[in-house]
Amino acid sequence: MAEGQVLVGIDVGTTGVKAIAVSANGDVVGRAEVGYELQTLRPGWAEQDPEDWWQATELALASLETQLEESAGAAAIAGIGLSGQMHGLVCLDEQLAVIRPAILWNDQRTGEECAEIERLVGLEQLIALTGNRALPGFTAPKLLWLRRHEPDSYARIRHVLLPKDYVRLRLTGELAIDAADASGTLLFDVERRAWSERVLEALEIPTEWLPKVLESPQVSGLNSAGVPVAAGAGDQQAGALGVGVVRPGPLSVVLGTSGVVFTALDRYVHDPQARVHVFCHAVPDTWEAMGVMLSAAGSLRWLRDTLAPGAGYEQLTAEAAHWRPGVEGLLFLPYLQGERTPHADPNARGAFSGLSLVHDRGALVRAVLEGVAFGLRDSLELLRELGVVPESGRASGGGARSRLWLEIVASVLGLPLELTAVEEGAAYGAALLGGLAAGVFPSAEEAVRACVRVRDRIEPNHDWQEGYERGYSRFKALYPALRPLEET
């Protein structure tokens, strides 16, 4: 990359578009974020207007360009990478016009369609082909829902895209997708890295509706200024690349609203029960497996908003630090909006167990921090069943700002956790993909070596680990014990 050139990463998120500019050595030299609304017309529904994504992208890119022009020595953009929320359904007609608002990853309307998919394809074959079972968030159930409930809209469909790929269309005029993001549609043969003819035939979905599939670093097109745009990746794959998880060894441990434990795989392997998701990774010829819990930092936010509105997270975690590990027998189940890993139960609910008169607000906070750590441990144990032998974790997300929480998670997982110098998440990984598309880096490994730097390392607290092993055993016993109460 010539001096004065930068790479741009664009992340089309659920609440807004984030765009960053990155130098060749990995420094972030520009940031912009533009928000938009989520439409919830009915309980459990979540939709957005794809035009909002594009307008936000235009504004974010314009802001970046202004920042670069105003910086010492104007910088030119060498490459652009894309990332975004996975699984969302964007339907286009013959003229490439949007037919209806996009149905998003967190939409829950498709329970009947999920059961239909598993019946039509066969659960065992579906898991073997796609690495996953049918869940309401995935793309395929949304198509079947449209066919059943909005036949007029369904009849107009000629093209199906995911959110970031609609932004690509507006940016480059190209219809394309990457293998990593395509893995989350439930229409993709994850081992072969191609659309699954078997699934498409079983569900009677035309293959011609689906865009061409590229690997994440490949050039998918050029923008109006002739800048190459990488195929990109889903937000979790791009985020993992952004913290340096490109090969088996380190894990990506995300303490965001949801929690993720993510590992790269050098071959395709799936959990026969699909308790963890298996997708293609953003690195060619690699795959990834990840466990997802729905309420990680979201659990702490719920507690703050419910019991301590106006209190800062630092204040709450300081109160939690006064309590010893195990919180005098207090446990928290973080299933506030159902759970994915390991239970795949939308009806699972959270609970405090072991409350007594000695417990105060700090005790409740510490129990939440530990309960989320135990939920992440569930995912780690399932990854180990797939043969994963982790060396360490790379932590990210808002929860990773708490040193106490990181020490708890490291101790529960039995792994050191590292923090990287840049905390820009999926947008940073997207920028690295833009550098690969532009030829700035010869490989993902070289991009990581050039740009991703570890700034801190948190070791497990050995004095805590024995107690956490006992606590984890009690934690695992709570969910099945509470299920009969939920089912009555």
Side-chain angles (χ1 to χ4, degrees), residues 283-485:
V283 182
D285 299 320
T286 65
W287 289 260
E288 53 97 347
M290 65 177 177
V292 179
M293 56 184 301
L294 296 180
S295 298
S299 292
L300 183 59
R301 183 175 63 237
W302 164 80
L303 187 73
R304 191 274 308 269
D305 293 347
T306 303
L307 297 182
Y313 291 117
E314 290 185 4
Q315 175 187 347
L316 295 178
T317 55
E319 293 175 9
H322 292 302
W323 284 86
R324 293 283 301 162
V327 206
E328 301 289 338
L330 182 60
L331 281 171
F332 174 70
L333 254 63
Y335 309 143
L336 298 178
Q337 52 179 347
E339 190 54 292
R340 282 201 190 177
T341 305
H343 305 302
D345 183 358
N347 297 313
R349 290 295 177 262
F352 282 102
S353 174
L355 275 168
S356 75
L357 290 173
V358 303
H359 292 122
D360 59 11
R361 188 172 72 180
L364 295 176
V365 174
R366 177 110 191 187
V368 167
L369 303 183
E370 293 179 352
V372 169
F374 291 144
L376 295 171
R377 171 74 177 269
D378 278 340
S379 293
L380 176 58
E381 293 304 321
L382 293 176
L383 295 180
R384 284 178 168 144
E385 288 184 24
L386 295 181
V388 174
V389 183
E391 302 166 352
S392 61
R394 295 281 174 89
S396 62
R401 299 189 183 102
S402 167
R403 184 85 181 192
L404 172 64
W405 207 352
L406 289 177
E407 190 173 4
I408 289 171
V409 173
S411 302
V412 170
L413 299 185
L415 293 173
L417 296 179
E418 297 173 334
L419 295 171
T420 55
V422 177
E423 299 179 350
E424 301 295 335
Y428 192 70
L432 299 187
L433 290 173
L436 289 165
V440 174
F441 311 114
S443 67
E445 291 84 354
E446 288 299 325
V448 167
R449 270 193 281 272
C451 299
V452 179
R453 294 179 289 279
V454 173
R455 64 175 173 83
D456 199 0
R457 182 179 172 100
I458 296 88
E459 297 288 344
N461 186 321
H462 297 298
D463 293 336
W464 295 358
Q465 286 186 276
E466 183 179 348
Y468 279 149
E469 285 300 316
R470 293 194 299 269
Y472 180 56
S473 295
R474 292 179 56 229
F475 175 86
K476 288 192 295 182
L478 276 179
Y479 169 76
L482 290 175
R483 279 202 73 188
L485 297 177

Side-chain angles (χ1 to χ4, degrees), residues 183-246:
S183 300
T185 62
L186 213 66
L187 301 170
F188 201 68
D189 186 325
V190 176
E191 183 174 19
R192 292 178 50 246
R193 306 176 85 92
W195 297 116
S196 173
E197 297 173 0
R198 291 185 186 180
V199 174
L200 291 167
E201 182 180 353
L203 303 185
E204 298 181 353
I205 294 174
T207 306
E208 57 267 25
W209 286 3
L210 303 172
K212 64 184 177 183
V213 179
L214 304 171
E215 290 294 338
S216 294
Q218 286 186 271
V219 177
S220 63
L222 307 176
N223 73 354
S224 59
V227 177
V229 178
D235 52 4
Q236 289 300 329
Q237 295 104 334
L241 173 62
V243 296
V245 178
V246 294

Side-chain angles (χ1 to χ4, degrees), residues 96-176:
L96 302 181
V98 174
I99 293 171
R100 68 173 319 283
I103 305 176
L104 303 190
W105 64 274
N106 51 347
D107 189 285
Q108 296 293 311
R109 76 184 73 177
T110 61
E112 292 183 12
E113 288 71 27
C114 289
E116 182 181 0
I117 288 172
E118 294 187 352
R119 177 179 59 81
L120 291 172
V121 180
L123 178 58
E124 186 175 339
Q125 179 169 247
L126 182 70
I127 293 172
L129 289 170
T130 70
N132 298 276
R133 65 178 304 158
L135 297 175
F138 288 163
T139 315
K142 299 176 175 65
L143 276 169
L144 270 61
W145 186 92
L146 278 184
R147 185 160 64 197
R148 176 176 295 164
H149 295 279
E150 296 182 10
D152 291 343
S153 294
Y154 189 84
R156 294 173 56 200
I157 296 175
R158 294 297 178 272
H159 303 281
V160 171
L161 296 176
L162 298 187
K164 78 171 192 327
D165 302 313
Y166 179 75
V167 170
R168 177 203 326 285
L169 174 64
R170 300 294 295 271
L171 195 62
T172 69
E174 297 290 336
L175 293 163

